[in-house]
Amino acid sequence: ASRCLSAAKRAFAWAAAHPDVPFANPKGIGTGEYGDKDCRDELLWAAAELWRTTGDAIYEKAFLEAANILPPASELWVPSWPGVASLDFWTYLIAPHKSSAEKQSAELKKRILDRTRSTAETLIARQKLSGYGNTMGVDDFSWGSNSVAANQSLLLLMADHFHNEPGWREAALGNLHYLLGRNCFGVSWVTQVGSNPFQHPHHRPSIADNIAAPWPGLLSGGPNGRHPGDDVARTFPKMPPMRMWADNQLAYSMNEVAINWNAPLVFLLAAAHSTS
C-alpha cells in the first residue's frame, strides 16, 4: 500500500505539471486507445482520492481550485469512461477529513448533493414510465448501453447513500433486473449468470480457448441503435432501440465486453448483495 501511495503521489505531481498530455497508443498498436482530450476530470479525481487517502491539504487545495469543472447545469452527469467528474465529486463528499477551506467546501458539497439529487429524480421519472422498470432513455441505447444502465444505478445508489430517499435503491436494482433478463430478449447479458445467459461475446479469450461456454461474468455491451459500428450491426433494419442487439461474437459494437462496463456491474451487484 505504501508503494502504491508513493507512486500515486509521484503520478499526481507529474500530471499536475503536465495537465494537457492525453494518452495515445504507442506506434504499432492498432486497437482502440480510449483517447480523451480533456484530462481535467481525471486529474480532479486523482486529487480527490489523494485527499481522501492522506488528508493532506495540498490535495484538497488542488481539488477546490479545479472544481469549477462542475458545470452550471442543474444535474450531475452519469459516469462514463471519458467523463468521470461525478466520481471525483462523490469521492470528495465521502472523504473523512476536516476541510481547511470550510466555507468553499460547504458550498461545493451542497452543490454536489443538490445536483446528485436532481439527476436521481430525472432517472426515477424515467423508471416510472418504463415498461421494463429500468431508467434508460431512448438516447442511452448506444455503444455500451448496458454499462449506461449500470452506471445510472451507480448514481442512484450514491444518491440513496447521501439522501436515503424511498425507492431510489429499488430503481437501481431495477436496472439489474433489466441486465439479468427483464428485457425484450429475456436474456441475461452476463455470461453464465441466469437461466438464459448470452453465449457469444466479442471476447477473444472466450473465442480462442476451445471451450464452448464463454468466460463467466462478462457484461455484454448491449443494444446499440445509435452507432452500429460493425458489419453485423449494419445489417439490422431500424427497430426499437432495445431490439438492436445480436448474440454474435463478430458484433463488437453490440456484444463486446470491457472492464469499464463490468466495474459498475460489480458495484451494483455488491449493493444488491448488501440488501439481501
Side-chain angles (χ1 to χ4, degrees), residues 150-166:
N151 275 306
Q152 288 176 353
S153 288
L154 191 161
L155 186 144
L156 285 166
L157 290 165
M158 292 305 297
D160 178 71
H161 173 74
F162 296 130
H163 297 288
N164 192 27
E165 289 284 351

Side-chain angles (χ1 to χ4, degrees), residues 66-250:
N68 59 3
I69 191 175
L70 186 60
S74 62
E75 295 186 356
L76 196 69
W77 54 89
V78 172
S80 63
W81 70 262
V84 297
S86 52
L87 302 174
D88 314 352
F89 294 117
W90 296 331
T91 298
Y92 183 69
L93 279 181
I94 63 178
H97 312 294
K98 182 176 176 62
S99 174
S100 58
E102 290 190 22
K103 185 174 185 298
Q104 184 182 3
S105 175
E107 290 173 352
L108 177 60
K109 287 180 177 180
K110 185 179 185 306
R111 289 169 65 204
I112 298 167
L113 288 170
D114 289 347
R115 294 184 186 194
T116 301
R117 172 186 285 277
S118 179
T119 312
E121 289 172 345
T122 297
L123 294 174
I124 291 295
R126 282 192 205 163
Q127 186 260 346
K128 290 178 178 178
L129 296 174
S130 169
Y132 290 91
N134 64 27
T135 60
M136 304 281 281
V138 172
D139 290 340
D140 292 331
F141 290 93
S142 187
W143 200 320
S145 65
N146 282 345
S147 74
V148 176
N151 275 306
Q152 288 176 353
S153 288
L154 191 161
L155 186 144
L156 285 166
L157 290 165
M158 292 305 297
D160 178 71
H161 173 74
F162 296 130
H163 297 288
N164 192 27
E165 289 284 351
W168 287 9
R169 179 172 287 259
E170 285 305 312
L173 295 177
N175 285 346
L176 182 59
H177 288 299
Y178 164 75
L179 294 174
L180 296 182
R182 195 171 68 192
N183 53 66
C184 64
F185 294 98
V187 68
S188 168
W189 275 310
V190 182
T191 51
Q192 298 198 38
V193 174
S195 59
N196 185 31
F198 83 109
Q199 298 295 320
H200 305 289
H202 181 79
H203 178 244
R204 287 160 190 158
S206 292
I207 296 167
D209 63 7
N210 293 318
I211 298 172
W215 286 24
L218 303 175
L219 178 65
S220 168
N224 178 8
R226 293 184 61 200
H227 300 107
D230 60 75
D231 290 341
V232 175
R234 283 190 283 267
T235 66
F236 273 55
K238 194 65 177 176
M239 294 188 288
M242 197 189 297
R243 298 290 307 176
M244 303 291 284
W245 177 78
D247 189 4
N248 187 320
Q249 68 187 37
L250 300 179

Side-chain angles (χ1 to χ4, degrees), residues 27-70:
K27 186 177 180 180
I29 303 299
T31 59
E33 65 187 10
Y34 288 78
D36 183 354
K37 295 179 180 178
D38 186 350
C39 303
R40 293 177 300 164
D41 52 334
E42 286 81 11
L43 191 55
L44 191 69
W45 195 7
E49 292 290 357
L50 282 167
W51 161 243
R52 181 186 176 197
T53 302
T54 68
D56 192 327
I58 64 168
Y59 298 117
E60 187 193 27
K61 182 174 184 290
F63 181 88
L64 293 174
E65 287 177 350
N68 59 3
I69 191 175
L70 186 60

Side-chain angles (χ1 to χ4, degrees), residues 244-266:
M244 303 291 284
W245 177 78
D247 189 4
N248 187 320
Q249 68 187 37
L250 300 179
Y252 52 84
S253 67
M254 295 177 165
N255 209 34
E256 71 173 341
V257 300
I259 190 170
N260 59 293
W261 300 350
N262 258 72
L265 173 65
V266 170

